[in-house]
Structure formats: C-alpha cells, structure tokens
Amino acid sequence: MNKQEIDVKQKIIISAKKLFSELGYEGTSVRKICDEAGVSLPLVSYHFGGKENVFLAILEPLEKLPFSAETGDPKLDLQKYLEVMIAFYQQDREISLIVRQELAMSSTRADKIITFIQNSTNKLKSILENGRDQGIFQFESISNALRFILGCMSMISVSNTGMLEVIIGEKEVGDFPIEKEVIAFIYKGIRS
C-alpha cells in the first residue's frame, strides 16, 4: 500500500471515529464519513469493504494496548496498567465514547467491542487476583472490583468534556490531576 492509500485510509478512520463518537453508529452513514474525510464514496468499500469494517478498524488499538509484563508486584502492575489505560482514554476520547455508547445500548456490535477489550480486562483481573492472593488487595468480589475500577477509569474520558462541571460545578483551583486521583482512589478501595 502506498503513502497516498494510507493517507486516504487514515482520513476515513479519523472522520468515522469523530462521527461515530458524535452521532453513534446508526446515525453515521458512509456518505457522512466520506464527506467529512473529503474522499469519494467508493473508497470506503475499496479500503474497508463497508461501514462495519471501518468501525472495527477504529477499535483495533484497543486490542494492541502496550501493557508491560507483570512484575510480581501487584501494586506496581496495577499502577502500570492504570497508567496505560488512562493515557489511552485521554489521548483517544472518541474511542472511549464509542465503546460506552455501544455497550450501553447493547448494540449488535457490543460483542465485537467486548472481544477487543477482553485482553485488557483479563490483564486487570489477573493483576487483582495476584494482589488478592498475596494479601496486598482486599475485596469481596473480583467482578465487583473490576466494575469499580473500570467505572472509575471510564469517568476520566468524560472528565474534560464539561459534562460533569454542569452537575458538580467548576474544578477547584489547584485540583489534583484526575489521573493521579483515580489511581489513589482505586488503591484505597482495594487495599488491605
């Protein structure tokens, strides 16, 4: 594939990601994607084979998150895991919005999304179980601990959208960075 073809594919992915996050999958047509990308309609079929494959291409980074190997220190492993996930969702808020929308609606694409994020969820589960086995983490239910942590992380993706400020008011001067606050909050919730 030459540079021009790669550029066209990137334009399509960037435009589709923006539109899917704003309008949802159902509200986004291939024509809208092409208009946003400034490319002709047949190029989506040529490069991706259709809208669903564009959608799946957008999610591929979820499958390839750069987790480091577990060190045997569950607290350090959890910190590294959280740092990777938080950085990803801060850098790519659109994917976070798309994932939340599709899972909340139990769309026909939810199973495909789950397949993409299963690796990262399994990684977190392994870290938590290791920490519990070593007596470092304490929680009653692994599934509830996973829900708690994933819920905390999902709030990071909406923290800078202005949505929460409407409900809770403006940030206080000197607020601790939310990434560090979330990690500290999670540790407090599962430590022994």
Side-chain angles (χ1 to χ4, degrees):
M1 192 176 303
N2 65 37
K3 184 179 176 355
Q4 185 177 4
E5 287 178 323
I6 292 170
D7 289 345
V8 167
K9 282 184 80 167
Q10 274 306 108
K11 284 181 181 179
I12 292 169
I13 287 174
I14 289 167
S15 297
K17 192 185 323 180
K18 176 182 181 282
L19 292 170
F20 288 146
S21 71
E22 291 173 358
L23 307 173
Y25 183 87
E26 301 301 335
T28 302
S29 67
V30 173
R31 181 168 303 286
K32 284 180 185 175
I33 294 169
C34 292
D35 288 347
E36 178 77 23
V39 300
S40 65
L41 200 59
L43 288 173
V44 169
S45 292
Y46 174 77
H47 287 291
F48 296 97
K51 182 170 100 170
E52 185 167 336
N53 289 335
V54 174
F55 183 81
L56 295 175
I58 288 169
L59 299 175
E60 283 178 4
L62 288 170
E63 202 172 40
K64 301 173 184 170
L65 290 170
F67 296 117
S68 56
E70 290 183 35
T71 65
D73 177 350
K75 187 172 179 178
L76 178 62
D77 293 339
L78 181 60
Q79 180 177 341
K80 295 294 183 191
Y81 172 89
L82 293 172
E83 287 171 353
V84 166
M85 292 300 292
I86 289 168
F88 176 77
Y89 282 121
Q90 284 187 320
Q91 291 168 5
D92 209 331
R93 291 184 192 282
E94 291 165 329
I95 287 181
S96 176
L97 292 170
I98 292 166
V99 167
R100 274 203 324 268
Q101 288 169 6
E102 295 294 321
L103 294 178
M105 294 182 334
S106 298
S107 76
T108 57
R109 293 159 302 283
D111 287 342
K112 291 177 178 153
I113 290 172
I114 290 167
T115 300
F116 278 103
I117 61 177
Q118 194 66 58
N119 180 43
S120 65
T121 306
N122 288 342
K123 177 81 168 168
L124 176 58
K125 184 177 181 180
S126 171
I127 292 167
L128 292 175
E129 288 172 335
N130 187 26
R132 182 183 57 195
D133 293 347
Q134 291 185 34
I136 295 168
F137 301 148
Q138 185 177 8
F139 46 83
E140 296 296 322
S141 160
I142 188 74
S143 61
N144 285 341
L146 287 164
R147 284 182 180 91
F148 167 73
I149 293 170
L150 294 172
C152 286
M153 288 191 312
S154 74
M155 290 311 297
I156 288 180
S157 63
V158 297
S159 67
N160 292 330
T161 63
M163 184 175 18
L164 290 178
E165 281 70 16
V166 171
I167 299 167
I168 61 175
E170 293 298 318
K171 289 183 177 183
E172 298 171 17
V173 175
D175 266 357
F176 197 62
I178 193 162
E179 308 80 35
K180 292 181 180 183
E181 191 87 32
V182 167
I183 292 172
F185 187 76
I186 289 169
Y187 280 143
K188 289 175 186 174
I190 63 171
R191 74 169 187 228
S192 54

